[in-house]
Amino acid sequence: MTTYQPPTPQLRKKILTTLFISLLLDLLSFTLILPLFPQLLAHYQALESTYTNPTLLRTTFAYLNSFKAAFSRPISSRFDVVLLGGAMGSLFSFLQAFSAPIIGSISDKSGRRTALLYSMLGNILSVLIWVFAVDFPTFVASRIVGGLSEGNVQLAIAIATDVSSEDNRGATLALVGVAFSIAFTDGLFIFQASRDKTTIYNFEEIQHDIRRI
């Protein structure tokens, strides 16, 4: 049986620095899209308004209307986009809960670094799909890929625990909380700052340019 050897202080610092940066980038990719949800979904809804065949978006709205009908007080249709955004967030979280044990098993068998690399590659693929999502099904696909590959937080906690002793474990795990705080505060600030520098989000022009690629 191999005895665990804690890393040297220099190696531990490098591991935690890499871990913090990867976790922060992962959380920023999650938070930056949140303010865009209503505008994106409203765009897809307007895009499909001329379609005659059933679409994934219309089917989803039909289920949401059934959900709204279950309440004793009627819910205005102007909240449909908000409910759809909540449903998309719930889908992401459900898939994350489904994939977390699998990613954890991979990390135990193949190592934390391998599992972290796979998770980060999945996150990158999710963002790339989102960038080229010119319709609602593609956007949903990006959220599915992102949810299934979202394991950075669990892996970060596991790695931080592995490289820590009982004396500094609390301070090490606090880095995870710091990454969350930065992502959910500065991430929204970064989005708003970049939005202020943009005159208008012309989705039609973006869609046209992507189809020309």
Side-chain angles (χ1 to χ4, degrees):
M1 182 176 180
T2 304
T3 304
Y4 171 71
Q5 297 293 334
T8 62
Q10 294 80 6
L11 179 59
R12 179 176 178 273
K13 184 177 180 180
K14 291 181 180 179
I15 293 174
L16 292 179
T17 301
T18 304
L19 184 67
F20 180 80
I21 294 174
S22 64
L23 180 60
L24 181 60
L25 291 176
D26 171 62
L27 292 173
L28 283 174
S29 69
F30 175 78
T31 56
L32 284 175
I33 195 176
L34 295 179
L36 273 176
F37 260 141
Q39 195 171 1
L40 281 171
L41 298 176
H43 163 70
Y44 293 134
Q45 189 178 17
L47 182 66
E48 296 187 2
S49 61
T50 58
Y51 294 177
T52 57
N53 297 327
T55 63
L56 177 61
L57 183 58
R58 289 179 179 175
T59 303
T60 305
F61 272 122
Y63 282 110
L64 289 177
N65 288 330
S66 300
F67 173 76
K68 291 193 303 180
F71 291 88
S72 58
R73 298 184 62 180
I75 301 177
S76 174
S77 59
R78 63 192 180 97
F79 294 111
D80 286 352
V81 173
V82 178
L83 289 174
L84 183 57
M88 295 298 299
S90 299
L91 173 65
F92 184 92
S93 300
F94 172 78
L95 294 173
Q96 181 182 2
F98 174 80
S99 63
I102 300 175
I103 296 176
S105 177
I106 294 174
S107 71
D108 290 337
K109 294 179 180 179
S110 303
R112 310 281 194 233
R113 182 173 62 179
T114 301
L116 184 62
L117 287 174
Y118 281 135
S119 180
M120 293 184 67
L121 287 175
N123 290 332
I124 293 173
L125 178 60
S126 171
V127 173
L128 288 176
I129 296 175
W130 171 45
V131 169
F132 292 97
V134 294
D135 52 26
F136 183 69
T138 309
F139 176 72
V140 173
S142 72
R143 304 309 294 166
I144 292 175
V145 173
L148 290 175
S149 59
E150 182 57 51
N152 291 28
V153 176
Q154 301 92 321
L155 291 171
I157 294 175
I159 295 173
T161 303
D162 291 342
V163 300
S164 304
S165 63
E166 293 184 0
D167 296 332
N168 56 23
R169 186 164 298 157
T172 303
L173 291 176
L175 290 175
V176 178
V178 172
F180 267 93
S181 299
I182 294 176
F184 279 88
T185 54
D186 293 352
L188 301 179
F189 172 78
I190 293 172
F191 165 80
Q192 189 61 42
S194 62
R195 183 178 182 181
D196 291 341
K197 294 181 181 297
T198 305
T199 305
I200 187 172
Y201 285 102
N202 194 326
F203 288 103
E204 286 73 18
E205 291 184 2
I206 295 174
Q207 180 182 0
H208 177 70
D209 293 339
I210 290 176
R211 287 178 174 174
R212 291 176 57 188
I213 297 177

